[in-house]
């Protein structure tokens, strides 16, 4: 049975959430999407997933906690990265210690969802200025039982790449720093969505549930490739950005990955590859600000 409830955000409308209980005891899987407003594949997938559960008798053990859209104002406004009410990137403020809406949402996640989670899946997609390969970020610092559970899940996911991360200030990464096994799934890009991509996210959810022992029926597993030594390039200033490759394309060491110029066409910086590798995701916006992500690349392990 699906139970609808809300995450209470003081001074604002509650965030829509669902609880689904299985037929037997088992792990609690927390699934969240819509942290960034214009990343639509995840919300589309979770809305479809909830409807699927309502209309079909899903035979599983354990419990699901599902939030299709965590950042509703960003979602309805089609905003790049931020919460409308305070202009903050919700995925960059964990642990939350402020009083604006983004902090209040993050506190609810920390206080209400983290304690219940045996595993957490945070679903993202390329924002309106990003193109990417389907990939999963995982905590490179996880150890022992936490690492074993993460490895068991992510190696069965039908994404293209697995990317190690040292980050600890995002929704999934802060959960990992507290010992909660968590992954960040990326599908989609450029503020677009398709039913096919949403269906692939749903497949990833079932693959996660299978790996956690929550379902017994057969699920087709993926064979993602491991990435090592990822490099993240950011803009040193505002400027006009010209990437030279597309997400998923391979390049050779020393090749120019992109150039940053000013409005007059004068060169600000040229970015060259430090090794043979491939583009994981990149900014495709023509205009960029200081500190904006430009390219993430890596090499297959």
């Amino acid at each position: 049975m699906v139970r609808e409830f809300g995450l209470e955000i003081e001074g604002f409308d509650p965030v829509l959430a669902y609880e689904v209980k299985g037929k037997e005891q088992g792990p609690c899987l927390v699934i969240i999407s819509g942290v960034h407003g214009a990343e639509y594949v995840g919300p589309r997938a979770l809305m479809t997933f909830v409807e699927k559960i309502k209309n079909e008798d899903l035979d599983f053990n354990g419990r699901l906690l599902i939030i299709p859209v965590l950042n509703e104002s960003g979602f309805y406004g089609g905003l790049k990265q931020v919460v409308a009410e305070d202009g903050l990137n919700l995925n960059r403020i964990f642990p939350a210690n402020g009083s604006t809406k983004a902090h209040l949402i993050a506190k609810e996640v920390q206080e209400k969802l983290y304690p219940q989670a045996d595993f957490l899946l945070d679903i993202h997609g390329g924002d309106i200025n990003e193109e990417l390969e389907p990939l999963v970020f995982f905590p490179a610092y996880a150890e022992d039982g936490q690492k074993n559970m993460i490895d068991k899940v992510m190696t069965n996911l039908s994404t293209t790449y697995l990317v190690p991360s040292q980050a600890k200030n995002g929704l999934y990464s802060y959960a990992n720093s507290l010992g909660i096994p968590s992954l960040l799934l990326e599908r989609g890009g450029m503020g677009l969505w398709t039913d096919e991509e949403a269906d692939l996210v749903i497949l990833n959810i079932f693959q996660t549930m299978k790996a956690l022992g929550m379902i017994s029926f057969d699920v087709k597993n993926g064979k993602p490739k491991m990435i090592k030594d990822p490099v993240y390039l950011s803009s040193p200033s505002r400027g006009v950005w010209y990437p030279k490759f597309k997400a998923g394309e391979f390049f050779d060491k020393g090749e120019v990955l992109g150039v940053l110029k000013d409005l007059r066409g004068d060169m600000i910086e040229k970015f060259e590859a430090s090794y043979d590798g491939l583009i994981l995701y990149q900014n495709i916006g023509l205009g960029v600000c200081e500190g904006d992500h430009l390219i993430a690349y890596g090499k297959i392990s």
Side-chain angles (χ1 to χ4, degrees):
M1 185 178 71
V2 178
R3 179 180 73 88
E4 182 180 313
F5 69 100
L7 288 185
E8 298 297 330
I9 312 297
E10 184 179 356
F12 302 95
D13 292 337
V15 174
L16 177 65
Y18 299 95
E19 179 187 41
V20 190
K21 291 184 178 180
K23 296 180 178 180
E24 302 290 341
Q25 295 294 314
C28 178
L29 173 60
V30 175
I31 312 171
I32 298 172
S33 68
V35 171
H36 294 143
E39 298 179 8
Y40 296 121
V41 174
R44 181 70 182 94
L46 290 192
M47 287 186 280
T48 301
F49 184 59
V50 170
E51 285 301 311
K52 183 179 182 69
I53 295 172
K54 288 179 178 178
N55 295 328
E56 301 176 14
D57 185 20
L58 179 62
D59 185 8
F60 77 99
N61 298 327
R63 195 159 57 102
L64 300 170
L65 293 176
I66 302 169
I67 298 181
V69 182
L70 187 63
N71 173 12
E72 291 187 5
S73 63
F75 174 79
Y76 290 123
L79 300 181
K80 184 177 71 172
Q81 296 182 341
V82 301
V83 173
E85 288 82 356
D86 56 19
L88 295 177
N89 185 339
L90 178 55
N91 206 39
R92 293 291 178 267
I93 60 172
F94 286 80
N97 53 21
S99 58
T100 65
K101 187 178 181 183
H103 285 273
L104 295 175
I105 294 173
K107 286 178 183 177
E108 279 293 294
V109 172
Q110 294 167 202
E111 295 172 6
K112 302 293 175 58
L113 298 182
Y114 281 2
Q116 301 186 67
D118 293 304
F119 201 93
L120 187 149
L121 189 60
D122 185 15
I123 303 171
H124 286 247
D127 216 314
I128 57 176
N129 63 336
E130 294 175 330
E131 64 169 6
L132 57 81
E133 282 289 287
L135 54 85
V136 166
F137 285 105
F138 69 92
Y141 47 83
E143 298 179 344
D144 303 326
Q146 179 186 2
K147 181 181 185 302
N148 291 338
M149 186 176 291
I150 289 171
D151 288 349
K152 186 176 182 181
V153 172
M154 71 182 186
T155 53
N156 288 309
L157 294 178
S158 56
T159 59
T160 310
Y161 300 113
L162 303 174
V163 184
S165 172
Q166 296 289 346
K168 295 185 179 181
N169 67 340
L171 189 154
Y172 101 101
S173 51
Y174 184 55
N176 276 305
S177 73
L178 299 177
I180 303 166
S182 307
L183 293 172
L184 189 153
L185 169 67
E186 295 264 15
R187 276 197 186 276
M190 298 177 286
L192 303 175
W193 65 270
T194 65
D195 287 332
E196 290 76 16
E197 287 174 315
D199 287 343
L200 288 171
V201 170
I202 293 173
L203 173 60
N204 295 151
I205 293 171
F206 281 128
Q207 289 167 335
T208 301
M209 294 176 71
K210 181 72 172 182
L212 294 175
M214 300 176 72
I215 54 177
S216 58
F217 55 84
D218 290 336
V219 178
K220 182 180 179 180
N221 289 332
K223 294 182 179 180
K225 297 180 177 67
M226 182 67 70
I227 293 295
K228 66 177 181 179
D229 302 330
V231 173
Y232 302 93
L233 302 178
S234 297
S235 181
S237 67
R238 68 179 186 179
V240 185
W241 168 239
Y242 301 96
K244 300 298 185 181
F245 291 86
K246 293 185 179 298
E249 290 187 337
F250 288 81
F251 52 78
D252 296 327
K253 179 179 179 179
E255 282 198 87
V256 176
L257 304 179
V259 296
L260 185 70
K261 299 183 178 183
D262 63 21
L263 285 175
R264 297 177 179 82
D266 294 327
M267 183 71 70
I268 296 175
E269 188 165 344
K270 182 186 298 183
F271 297 88
E272 297 179 351
S274 58
Y275 53 68
D276 296 350
L278 68 127
I279 304 295
L280 298 171
Y281 64 86
Q282 67 179 0
N283 194 324
I284 56 165
L286 188 61
V288 297
C289 293
E290 181 179 354
D292 280 356
H293 292 305
L294 297 179
I295 286 179
Y297 68 91
K299 51 188 171 184
I300 297 175
S301 177

